[in-house]
Amino acid sequence: MTVSVLVPSSISREAEDKREATRKLGYVARAATIFRADRLVVYPDREGETGQFDGGFVSTVLRYAATPPYLRNEAWGMRDELEYAGILPPLRAMSQTGSESTGSGSSRQGIVTEVGPEGRVRVNCGLQHPISLNVPPNMAVEEGERVTVRISSRRPVRAKLVDEPLPGLSIEQTDLRAALGREDAGVRIAASRFGEELTVGRLETLAGRVQRDGMTVAFGAPERGLPAILGIEASAVEASSDRDDAADDEVEPTADPGFDLWLNTVPDQGSEVVRTEEALFATLAPLSLRE
């Protein structure tokens, strides 16, 4: 069961400057982390991009935000896109094991600082000094590569290199349809003000499916929602949502075949515009509830 959050490359299109764009992306990363998303995917929206805040900028800032603080200097160095990285809110992500990332029995990201003889490497994983570890059989690593380290004890240090995906939030760039077509996409939801209103009844229907299958939730950009990005008339989305029966166990497809449903999670919004980072919190919170 996985949770994927999809945001467009145009997500920072309304930002007045780099500082504001960085702040916005920090809250996007926070929302994805708080609600335990496995992947935060940036999909292309070339027509909606403005100025310097394109998909490359968005992905770089999000990847930096998702990098553990103890690895940031070594992994990123000095980059123009990260001029205001200091204002990013800390994610303080829990490890995949359920323990805090600073505690024993947790998985951590590390960077290989030296490849030595006899299948040993030195890894910086945020402890006082880089540690020497054996490379598991059939696993090849290179200097500068990020790896997963499982720590069983901090005093004394006992750790091992494991051939597993990096713990924490993964930042990816891929096409929207490709992200929706993944085998582990789960329930594919389009967050839009033109979608079906999220009610208690609909949430009861969705909760079991999401808990069992996971979910992929896609968001639009400021003043450019998903219908505009996909070239779908808002009226078509509304008509499709009106035909959905909230009592059905199976969610019917809507105007776009890539989604299982279009969902309005702020059905009586008091502001004319709900910002994308606000929509993430408003959407992921109820969808994370259990039966």
Side-chain angles (χ1 to χ4, degrees):
M1 193 277 282
T2 61
V3 175
S4 298
V5 175
L6 280 50
V7 296
S9 60
S10 57
I11 188 173
S12 298
R13 66 194 308 267
E14 94 291 12
E16 295 181 358
D17 52 35
K18 192 185 299 182
R19 181 185 180 90
E20 175 61 20
T22 301
R23 181 205 62 79
K24 180 185 188 76
L25 293 172
Y27 285 114
V28 169
R30 279 284 296 174
T33 300
I34 287 171
F35 296 105
R36 290 187 177 272
D38 300 282
R39 290 184 292 263
L40 179 53
V41 178
V42 181
Y43 66 87
D45 176 30
R46 305 280 186 255
E47 293 183 17
E49 294 177 5
T50 58
Q52 61 182 318
F53 309 133
D54 58 9
F57 172 84
V58 170
S59 295
T60 296
V61 174
L62 289 177
R63 285 193 172 104
Y64 180 90
T67 300
Y70 55 84
L71 293 182
R72 286 177 175 174
N73 287 340
E74 188 167 351
W76 292 98
M78 300 293 291
R79 298 187 59 157
D80 183 63
E81 301 98 316
L82 303 174
E83 180 180 0
Y84 292 101
I87 70 169
L88 289 169
L91 301 188
R92 301 197 65 180
M94 305 288 279
S95 76
Q96 298 301 308
T97 61
S99 303
E100 289 196 28
S101 59
T102 56
S104 299
S106 64
S107 295
R108 315 190 88 199
Q109 287 190 37
I111 290 183
V112 177
T113 60
E114 181 182 346
V115 177
E118 300 179 355
R120 294 190 68 84
V121 294
R122 294 186 67 81
V123 179
N124 173 12
C125 56
L127 302 180
Q128 188 172 5
H129 303 287
I131 56 178
S132 179
L133 299 171
N134 287 315
V135 179
N138 303 319
M139 179 181 177
V141 297
E142 299 178 354
E143 186 174 328
E145 183 177 348
R146 292 202 206 181
V147 292
T148 300
V149 177
R150 175 131 349 124
I151 299 175
S152 56
S153 171
R154 293 179 62 87
R155 294 183 181 177
V157 174
R158 293 191 183 93
K160 64 179 179 178
L161 201 61
V162 291
D163 191 5
E164 296 176 357
L166 295 176
L169 180 64
S170 170
I171 310 298
E172 302 178 8
Q173 282 183 285
T174 190
D175 178 78
L176 180 60
R177 293 184 182 275
L180 294 173
R182 295 181 64 123
E183 291 185 0
D184 61 352
V187 185
R188 297 163 296 183
I189 301 169
S192 170
R193 66 185 302 175
F194 301 108
E196 178 186 352
E197 294 185 357
L198 180 62
T199 62
V200 173
R202 167 56 84 186
L203 188 57
E204 288 179 352
T205 302
L206 282 175
R209 291 194 65 196
V210 169
Q211 189 172 352
R212 181 183 70 246
D213 302 330
M215 63 180 176
T216 296
V217 189
F219 297 86
E223 300 179 353
R224 186 173 169 81
L226 278 169
I229 291 175
L230 295 171
I232 298 173
E233 293 292 334
S235 58
V237 175
E238 291 175 327
S240 179
S241 297
D242 289 341
R243 288 195 300 269
D244 280 341
D245 182 359
D248 285 347
D249 290 335
E250 296 298 326
V251 181
E252 298 178 2
T254 61
D256 184 89
F259 294 106
D260 294 314
L261 75 160
W262 292 71
L263 198 61
N264 178 3
T265 55
V266 191
D268 191 24
Q269 63 188 63
S271 175
E272 184 177 347
V273 175
V274 176
R275 296 175 178 176
T276 306
E277 65 270 31
E278 296 168 337
L280 260 74
F281 282 100
T283 302
L284 297 177
L287 294 178
S288 297
L289 296 176
R290 299 289 184 257
E291 283 188 300

